[in-house]
Amino acid sequence: MRVVVALGGNALLRRGEPLEADVQRRNIKRAVDALAPVAAEHELAITHGNGPQVGLLALESYAYREVGEYPLDVLGAESEGMIGYMIEQELAGRLPGRETAVLLTQVAVDPEDPAFRNPTKPIGPWYDKGDAERLGSERGWSFVATGGQYRRVVPSPLPRRILEIGTIRLLIDAGVIVISVGGGGIPVIVSDDGVIRGVEGVIDKDRAAALLASEIGADALLLLTDVDGVYAGWGTEEQRRLGETTPEELGALDLEAGSMGPKVEAACTFARHTGGLAGIGALEDAGAILAGEAGTRIRR
């Protein structure tokens, strides 16, 4: 079976943990421990979030005043390389002899996407109100408030086309574990004459993972995070985790746009368009989701 696994930002960096290299290495080791049994039995493509990491890189770029601030597409490429390198290293230790590859991946977006006028994608750390107002004034950054804290938000255009999809297919067909489309891929615009240029934004990782899974003919798409599935009636006494479900049932739920909403949308899109299995659940349950024993499993 061909499986695409999308590692959520909270699967790589737990809530409240510092953005330190050793912390991320420890969490990536935990992720690879969960994925190694899947890789041993199936063809595997891995993608991952990068919200905390790209936000940290933006802060570091801003703090170094001797040079101009680096654009988000370049920072996205840096985060793809950093996280992919750590995942590849851990996979080599768990699956000796299995070939792996990290591929910097450009994803074309529509220059007229309304997301460029309405930034919604959270990146980086949390700030108090004073720091958020200062950075907003100095840098023109937009922020969203949650529970008295503030986080930077940037445009999140829809992924339209993965530019390196041919290379990804060749590698997977050859039995290579491919780590690609990290952080949703590097957002770019392709002109009519083929010129490529990066844009300021961060593509939603789950939507890009669904596009990747469809483009490579995956049988299953696993969106792994720090919760064990999708819940109906979340936050109420009647809340219940959905096991086997359909895009139609999930479409009737009222889900938070900045949290579970994009995951459900991406999972339903993949299941509806391909007839494959889309699973949402906890990282450590990856194998059990495929076996139908855990998580929320969506089929057409």
Side-chain angles (χ1 to χ4, degrees), residues 266-287:
C268 290
T269 297
F270 172 77
R272 187 181 297 114
H273 291 173
T274 70
L277 166 69
I280 300 175
L283 171 63
E284 57 269 20
D285 292 337

Side-chain angles (χ1 to χ4, degrees), residues 69-145:
E69 190 174 347
Y70 275 60
L72 277 177
D73 61 304
V74 174
L75 300 181
E78 291 181 7
S79 70
E80 265 198 286
M82 174 180 68
I83 299 170
Y85 158 69
M86 292 182 178
I87 296 173
E88 184 179 38
Q89 210 171 53
E90 288 296 334
L91 280 170
R94 283 300 307 270
L95 299 168
R98 185 77 180 272
E99 296 292 336
T100 62
V102 178
L103 188 66
L104 289 181
T105 317
Q106 302 172 96
V107 175
V109 301
D110 183 349
E112 301 302 321
D113 193 308
F116 289 114
R117 299 186 295 275
N118 180 33
T120 58
K121 178 67 174 177
I123 66 170
W126 293 93
Y127 300 92
D128 60 29
K129 184 177 181 181
D131 285 339
E133 289 178 346
R134 176 178 57 81
L135 288 167
S137 175
E138 292 177 356
R139 306 306 306 162
W141 290 354
S142 299
F143 287 84
V144 63

Side-chain angles (χ1 to χ4, degrees), residues 99-250:
E99 296 292 336
T100 62
V102 178
L103 188 66
L104 289 181
T105 317
Q106 302 172 96
V107 175
V109 301
D110 183 349
E112 301 302 321
D113 193 308
F116 289 114
R117 299 186 295 275
N118 180 33
T120 58
K121 178 67 174 177
I123 66 170
W126 293 93
Y127 300 92
D128 60 29
K129 184 177 181 181
D131 285 339
E133 289 178 346
R134 176 178 57 81
L135 288 167
S137 175
E138 292 177 356
R139 306 306 306 162
W141 290 354
S142 299
F143 287 84
V144 63
T146 303
Q149 289 190 302
Y150 294 75
R151 201 173 181 200
R152 183 186 176 191
V153 288
V154 300
S156 183
L158 292 174
R160 298 296 183 183
R161 180 164 61 94
I162 299 169
L163 301 194
E164 290 79 13
I165 194 65
T167 305
I168 295 171
R169 288 195 191 105
L170 284 171
L171 290 168
I172 293 177
D173 288 344
V176 178
I177 299 174
V178 183
I179 305 158
S180 66
V181 198
I186 305 161
V188 299
I189 290 172
V190 183
S191 67
D192 292 338
D193 56 359
V195 175
I196 302 171
R197 65 179 178 86
V199 294
E200 286 286 290
V202 175
I203 298 170
D204 181 79
K205 169 264 308 171
D206 297 311
R207 292 186 176 113
L211 177 61
L212 171 66
S214 296
E215 290 292 315
I216 65 171
D219 302 290
L221 167 66
L222 301 185
L223 305 177
L224 304 180
T225 182
D226 60 350
V227 296
D228 64 351
V230 181
Y231 280 74
W234 175 255
T236 70
E237 293 183 357
E238 291 78 30
Q239 72 177 31
R240 60 184 178 87
R241 180 176 61 80
L242 299 175
E244 301 290 339
T245 185
T246 65
E248 290 72 25
E249 182 179 9
L250 287 177

Side-chain angles (χ1 to χ4, degrees), residues 11-69:
L12 298 177
L13 193 72
R14 297 182 181 184
R15 300 173 196 271
E17 288 185 328
L19 284 162
E20 295 180 359
D22 286 346
V23 172
Q24 294 182 75
R25 282 187 183 277
R26 184 168 63 247
N27 287 332
I28 286 172
K29 181 181 184 305
R30 182 174 64 94
V32 170
D33 286 345
L35 295 184
V38 176
E41 296 184 16
H42 306 287
E43 295 179 333
L44 182 63
I46 300 172
T47 186
H48 56 80
N50 71 341
Q53 293 82 3
V54 79
L56 175 63
L57 291 171
L59 279 175
E60 292 173 346
S61 175
Y62 165 65
Y64 188 63
R65 301 300 182 91
E66 282 77 5
V67 299
E69 190 174 347

